[in-house]
Amino acid sequence: MARLIFLGPPGAGKGTQAQILAGLLQVPHISTGDLLRVAVSQETVLGMKAQSYMDQGELVPDLLIIEMIRERLLQSDANNGWILDGFPRNVSQAVFLDKLLKEIDQTYDSAINLEVPNEILIVRLLARGRKDDNEEVIRRRLEIYRGHTEPLIDFYRDRQQLISVDGNRPMDEVTDELKQLTQF
Ligand code: AP5
């Protein structure tokens, strides 16, 4: 059973690698960005509240995210492992996750941080071209990452649960290292 948290800036490859590893480990890949994009496309109340934050590259308010992730982690397919991608995104979300996991008698194995330099991130995201992948919004997402999400590296390092991986390599090399590190 594996319970992993994927950290890293926008474009680092969290979604790409989390999806591959989740397939190998046969656990759900839980991406808060994907859950939010589904909510936006279905025009749910959550989606309507989240859309403007996402379009501007801002974080969606914690209360909305916390409810969404609580509901997702309580689904039965998450009983036997998961990979979280894009959550937690700030220290208060990380503290909430610790509390929630305690409540449901779970814990995580490690937080995996994919490291990629800024200039490479921008090139990757512009090439992908998602709705929030234009230069202005990418720069804002990177600022938000440095200000709010990067502190989680120390948060998990202090707990001795951080694994850093060089994400600036061909995708299959990154996957191979992740497989080795997670022993699958
Ligand atoms: P989210 O969807 O989480 O976006 P993100 O963090 O900006 O991450 P990305 O999807 O851009 O990058 P990634 O690291 O997953 O890279 P990927 O594998 O796709 O969040 C979107 C928005 O939702 C946020 O801005 C916020 O508004 C909101 N949100 C989400 N979670 C939230 C939360 N917890 N709290 C508050 N708000 C939240 O790869 C990127 C590209 O690079 C792809 O084209 C891929 O093919 C390519 N690539 C990947 N690996 C490599 C490689 N090794 N070499 C070359 N190319 C590669």
Side-chain angles (χ1 to χ4, degrees), residues 10-66:
K14 302 181 297 294
T16 305
Q17 298 297 338
Q19 192 177 3
I20 297 171
L21 220 56
L24 293 169
L25 300 171
Q26 298 194 297
V27 295
H29 164 211
I30 301 178
S31 153
T32 44
D34 288 349
L35 291 172
L36 289 167
R37 279 183 288 277
V38 169
V40 169
S41 72
Q42 295 178 344
E43 299 182 359
T44 64
V45 175
L46 167 66
M48 287 190 280
K49 287 183 181 162
Q51 181 160 27
S52 61
Y53 295 98
M54 297 173 76
D55 288 347
Q56 291 167 50
E58 303 292 333
L59 291 183
V60 172
D62 285 350
L63 268 181
L64 298 176
I65 298 292
I66 280 170

Side-chain angles (χ1 to χ4, degrees), residues 35-125:
L35 291 172
L36 289 167
R37 279 183 288 277
V38 169
V40 169
S41 72
Q42 295 178 344
E43 299 182 359
T44 64
V45 175
L46 167 66
M48 287 190 280
K49 287 183 181 162
Q51 181 160 27
S52 61
Y53 295 98
M54 297 173 76
D55 288 347
Q56 291 167 50
E58 303 292 333
L59 291 183
V60 172
D62 285 350
L63 268 181
L64 298 176
I65 298 292
I66 280 170
E67 268 320 298
M68 182 178 81
I69 204 84
R70 175 195 289 279
E71 202 178 293
R72 183 64 188 89
L73 284 178
L74 290 175
Q75 287 172 17
S76 57
D77 67 334
N79 280 343
N80 294 318
W82 34 256
I83 298 184
L84 289 182
D85 156 20
F87 180 89
R89 201 77 157 215
N90 57 30
V91 172
S92 64
Q93 291 183 9
V95 170
F96 163 79
L97 178 64
D98 281 355
K99 276 196 205 139
L100 174 63
L101 293 180
K102 209 168 171 187
E103 216 178 286
I104 59 178
D105 206 19
Q106 292 187 9
T107 182
Y108 46 82
D109 304 310
S110 4
I112 296 176
N113 179 38
L114 292 177
E115 295 178 326
V116 178
N118 254 21
E119 59 278 15
I120 303 287
L121 299 171
I122 294 171
V123 171
R124 282 186 188 178
L125 294 174

Side-chain angles (χ1 to χ4, degrees), residues 106-169:
Q106 292 187 9
T107 182
Y108 46 82
D109 304 310
S110 4
I112 296 176
N113 179 38
L114 292 177
E115 295 178 326
V116 178
N118 254 21
E119 59 278 15
I120 303 287
L121 299 171
I122 294 171
V123 171
R124 282 186 188 178
L125 294 174
L126 286 175
R128 181 177 62 181
R130 202 168 70 193
K131 193 178 174 205
D132 56 347
D133 287 340
N134 63 74
E135 191 142 1
E136 191 188 336
V137 176
I138 292 170
R139 290 201 184 278
R140 184 63 189 146
R141 283 158 61 202
L142 288 169
E143 266 175 29
I144 294 277
Y145 170 77
R146 302 289 169 212
H148 295 265
T149 312
E150 206 170 44
L152 291 179
I153 294 175
D154 283 340
F155 181 95
Y156 289 112
R157 188 184 284 124
D158 290 349
R159 286 163 172 69
Q160 291 168 355
Q161 277 170 312
L162 185 78
I163 299 177
S164 283
V165 169
D166 177 6
N168 188 19
R169 290 177 293 164

